[in-house]
């Protein structure tokens, strides 16, 4: 799908030398495990996570289900508190953001787009309601005429006709609903959007259109993205940098192209090898990898260890040192 570039006006791009909008520093998150409210056992969901989100850039957080990707987003949005470490917003610890007005400001600047575009919208309200409500809560408009103009601008920016404002979520396709969710983030002036598997529930034929819209928002509005996914193909398409997660740890990170060209950690190589090859018949794949499941289990066991240091692979390519480490 080709986007019409006049929909979103250009703004000045910020390069990686700028200060990060969001920074996670050595974040650990433990949850109580079993036993209800009196549980004493803990499960470590995140172990020493550090990452930075810059304006006008996308970081892809890649890994299988249950590795801790969405937990990172929930900590950034203050759904959960960190067990230790810090999350900084323009250099300020978000634990110190407690006053109502400060929370409203933070939540307007850090928005989340969820995997299920229909579950994110109230089926009893129109699209007009879904976009008007955040505009009023965050005081983005002052009068009715300004509201009408802003709604039209938002719909144009996400390439939806203004007639869709009168529709209900069930009257839109999955791709259109996800565009409404992106418009909602634009409405409140988001600096960072945490996109949690935003295309995984969409038809393959319309995923590219949503990804192109996200790229346009990044390039022309200088919005930064944390793109959470298990799909390396879409990460390659949209993200300048990639961080590969397994069992609550980041095992390899840096320039996306470098990681895909020169995967170093065994788990990263496992993820890349799992991407289907349309030119390789399944029978040939089974023949060439007869013990694939066994090999995958061994790689996962290696990847469970707590890394002992970091190895630099390239100018912006790092891998956790899994060799010679002890089990977590």
């Amino acid at each position: 799908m080709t986007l019409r570039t006049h929909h979103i006006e250009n703004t000045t791009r910020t390069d990686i030398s700028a200060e990060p909008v969001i920074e996670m520093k050595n974040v650990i998150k433990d949850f109580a495990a079993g036993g209800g409210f009196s549980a004493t056992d803990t499960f470590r969901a995140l172990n020493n996570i550090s990452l930075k989100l810059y304006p006008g850039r996308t970081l892809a957080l890649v890994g299988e289900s249950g590795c801790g990707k969405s937990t990172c987003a929930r900590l950034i949005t203050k759904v959960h508190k960190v067990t230790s470490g810090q999350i900084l917003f323009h250099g300020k610890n978000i634990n110190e953001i407690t006053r109502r007005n400060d929370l409203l400001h933070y939540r307007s600047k850090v928005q989340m787009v969820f995997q299920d575009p229909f579950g994110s919208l109230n089926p009893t309200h129109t699209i007009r309601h879904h976009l008007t409500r955040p505009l009023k809560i965050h005081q983005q408009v002052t009068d009715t005429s300004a509201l009408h103009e802003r709604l039209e601008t938002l719909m144009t920016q996400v390439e939806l006709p203004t007639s869709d404002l009168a529709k209900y979520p069930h009257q839109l396709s999955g791709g259109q609903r996800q565009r409404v969710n992106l418009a909602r983030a634009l409405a409140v002036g988001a600096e960072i959007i945490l996109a949690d598997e935003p295309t995984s529930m969409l038809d393959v034929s319309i995923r590219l259109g949503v990804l192109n819209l996200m790229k346009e928002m990044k390039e022309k509005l200088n919005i930064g993205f944390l793109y959470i996914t298990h799909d390396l193909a879409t990460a390659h398409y949209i993200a300048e940098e990639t961080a590969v997660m397994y069992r609550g740890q980041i095992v390899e990170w840096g320039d996306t192209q470098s990681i895909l060209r020169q995967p170093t950690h065994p788990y990263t190589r496992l993820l890349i090898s799992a991407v289907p090859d349309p030119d390789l018949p399944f029978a040939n794949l089974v023949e060439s990898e007869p013990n694939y499941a066994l090999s995958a289990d061994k790689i996962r066991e290696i990847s469970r260890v707590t890394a002992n240091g970091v190895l630099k692979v390239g100018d912006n390519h790092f891998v956790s040192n899994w060799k010679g480490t002890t089990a977590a």
Side-chain angles (χ1 to χ4, degrees):
M1 178 178 180
T2 302
L3 293 179
R4 295 186 291 275
T5 56
H6 64 275
H7 281 172
I8 298 179
E9 294 182 359
N10 280 293
T11 60
T12 302
R13 287 293 305 278
T14 305
D15 60 29
I16 200 167
S17 64
E19 290 297 317
V21 179
I22 292 289
E23 181 177 3
M24 299 182 73
K25 298 180 68 174
N26 306 315
V27 170
I28 292 175
K29 178 59 184 177
D30 294 332
F31 289 101
F37 292 108
S38 61
T40 57
D41 294 335
T42 59
F43 168 73
R44 178 147 293 179
L46 298 179
N47 187 16
N48 201 32
I49 297 296
S50 295
L51 57 83
K52 297 178 181 180
L53 302 179
Y54 291 92
R57 296 181 67 84
T58 297
L59 170 67
L61 197 55
V62 180
E64 60 191 57
S65 297
C67 71
K69 306 186 302 294
S70 296
T71 301
C72 289
R74 292 189 182 102
L75 292 178
I76 293 172
T77 54
K78 293 176 68 70
V79 173
H80 302 303
K81 290 185 177 181
V82 302
T83 301
S84 68
Q86 292 182 318
I87 299 177
L88 307 179
F89 173 64
H90 289 299
K92 181 178 181 179
N93 193 329
I94 66 171
N95 284 343
E96 299 173 5
I97 302 175
T98 56
R99 297 175 56 187
R100 184 178 184 277
N101 287 342
D102 293 339
L103 281 171
L104 278 176
H105 174 74
Y106 177 71
R107 287 172 174 155
S108 71
K109 298 304 179 183
V110 180
Q111 287 281 299
M112 192 154 183
V113 173
F114 296 94
Q115 180 178 12
D116 182 0
F118 187 75
S120 304
L121 301 172
N122 189 328
T124 65
H125 291 297
T126 64
I127 304 307
R128 180 183 298 276
H129 172 88
H130 284 94
L131 297 183
T132 298
R133 190 167 184 269
L135 287 171
K136 289 185 174 180
I137 289 175
H138 294 277
Q139 300 178 351
Q140 297 292 311
V141 291
T142 56
D143 54 49
T144 303
S145 61
L147 172 63
H148 182 71
E149 182 179 348
R150 184 72 176 120
L151 290 175
E152 287 190 343
T153 299
L154 288 170
M155 295 296 280
T156 301
Q157 286 179 321
V158 297
E159 294 194 319
L160 290 175
T162 54
S163 58
D164 282 353
L165 287 168
K167 294 183 178 180
Y168 290 86
H170 73 273
Q171 295 175 300
L172 303 180
S173 69
Q176 290 171 323
R177 288 193 288 264
Q178 203 63 294
R179 288 171 184 269
V180 171
N181 288 320
L182 288 168
R184 202 160 47 173
L186 287 177
V188 294
E191 294 182 28
I192 294 290
I193 295 178
L194 313 174
D196 192 354
E197 302 271 11
T199 63
S200 63
M201 292 187 68
L202 305 180
D203 292 340
V204 175
S205 60
I206 58 176
R207 288 180 184 176
L208 182 59
V210 173
L211 289 173
N212 280 339
L213 176 59
M214 291 169 60
K215 286 185 69 175
E216 191 173 77
M217 291 166 63
K218 174 183 69 176
E219 294 168 359
K220 297 182 178 179
L221 296 179
N222 214 29
I223 294 173
F225 282 88
L226 177 64
Y227 180 65
I228 297 171
T229 185
H230 61 271
D231 185 355
L232 280 167
T234 57
H236 165 262
Y237 184 75
I238 195 172
E240 291 86 1
E241 294 181 298
T242 294
V244 180
M245 283 192 75
Y246 181 69
R247 293 291 291 257
Q249 300 184 91
I250 295 179
V251 298
E252 189 163 356
W253 63 98
D255 178 75
T256 299
Q257 302 299 326
S258 179
I259 289 175
L260 293 177
R261 286 195 305 264
Q262 190 182 358
T264 303
H265 196 279
Y267 183 70
T268 307
R269 295 200 296 266
L270 177 65
L271 283 182
I272 292 175
S273 70
V275 177
D277 185 351
D279 298 323
L280 183 63
F282 183 74
N284 293 351
L285 175 63
V286 173
E287 183 179 346
S288 63
E289 296 283 353
N291 298 314
Y292 180 82
L294 180 61
S295 299
D297 287 341
K298 288 181 178 178
I299 290 172
R300 286 187 171 91
E301 189 64 29
I302 292 172
S303 303
R304 290 180 62 181
V305 302
T306 300
N308 182 22
V310 174
L311 303 175
K312 185 174 182 179
V313 180
D315 289 339
N316 182 27
H317 185 179
F318 304 88
V319 61
S320 61
N321 179 20
W322 74 95
K323 299 178 181 179
T325 54
T326 57

